[in-house]
Amino acid sequence: MPTPEFIINMRKKIGHDALWLPGVKVVLIHENEVLLVRRADNGRWTLPAGILEPGEEPAIAAVREVFEETAVHCAITALVGVATTDEAIYPNGDRAQYLDIILAARYLGGEAMVNDDENLEVGWFDLSALPALPPKHQRAITWAVEPLAGGHFIIAEAPGANL
């Protein structure tokens, strides 16, 4: 799916300035393989991911993004974690950073293939033989493989706390 219309409208007002947006990242593991996409904008392998539309539930967005990008049907099974992404700078100069809602999914069906214009390739990769991934995508897979009750998140100490 191309850039959502609500972001295009915001960009008309703020130009390339940084946006803080909610996003989903999906870790879909099936038969010890994880579903990955190779992005058209930077050529990197990543997990399927995307922006939530205004009012959209994260799990619904996650299922939508996986299908839009890969033609694979899935069901969300767990919250893996919540974190932030690094700032993204897109080829047109737009800047954004995402509140990253990382979700685990179960494969329901469909043949993995490029299903949009945002990706160059789609594939299943054995967990022991992954291509180079951005660190926070690798972290999401690790978190999904090693789940915590309540999900993973980055823990910070309160300023001045002696714990």
Side-chain angles (χ1 to χ4, degrees):
M1 177 175 169
T3 304
E5 190 66 30
F6 80 97
I7 292 180
I8 292 170
N9 291 335
M10 281 195 292
R11 288 283 178 210
K12 290 176 185 174
K13 297 174 185 170
I14 68 164
H16 299 298
D17 289 352
L19 288 175
W20 174 248
L21 298 165
V24 291
K25 186 177 285 159
V26 182
V27 183
L28 197 168
I29 298 172
H30 179 62
E31 297 179 352
N32 207 46
E33 294 182 324
V34 65
L35 183 63
L36 300 175
V37 298
R38 191 162 71 84
R39 296 173 53 105
D41 61 352
N42 61 20
R44 296 186 80 178
W45 286 100
T46 68
L47 293 163
I51 301 167
L52 275 72
E53 296 284 343
E56 188 176 28
E57 295 289 340
I60 292 170
V63 168
R64 174 181 55 76
E65 287 290 344
V66 169
F67 182 76
E68 285 177 358
E69 294 183 10
T70 71
V72 168
H73 297 281
C74 69
I76 300 305
T77 57
L79 172 66
V80 170
V82 177
T84 59
T85 66
D86 296 324
E87 182 179 58
I89 302 174
Y90 295 96
N92 67 355
D94 287 351
R95 297 172 37 231
Q97 190 169 13
Y98 300 91
L99 174 64
D100 203 14
I101 303 165
I102 305 159
L103 300 165
R106 178 173 47 90
Y107 174 79
L108 296 178
E111 183 178 336
M113 64 181 166
V114 175
N115 202 33
D116 64 8
D117 60 357
E118 294 179 17
N119 296 295
L120 302 172
E121 294 179 74
V122 171
W124 292 98
F125 290 84
D126 191 278
L127 289 168
S128 65
L130 297 175
L133 296 169
K136 292 188 177 179
H137 287 257
Q138 181 63 59
R139 177 182 72 185
I141 294 169
T142 300
W143 284 2
V145 171
E146 302 169 2
L148 288 180
H152 288 267
F153 55 93
I154 306 303
I155 299 172
E157 291 184 20
N162 292 325
L163 301 176

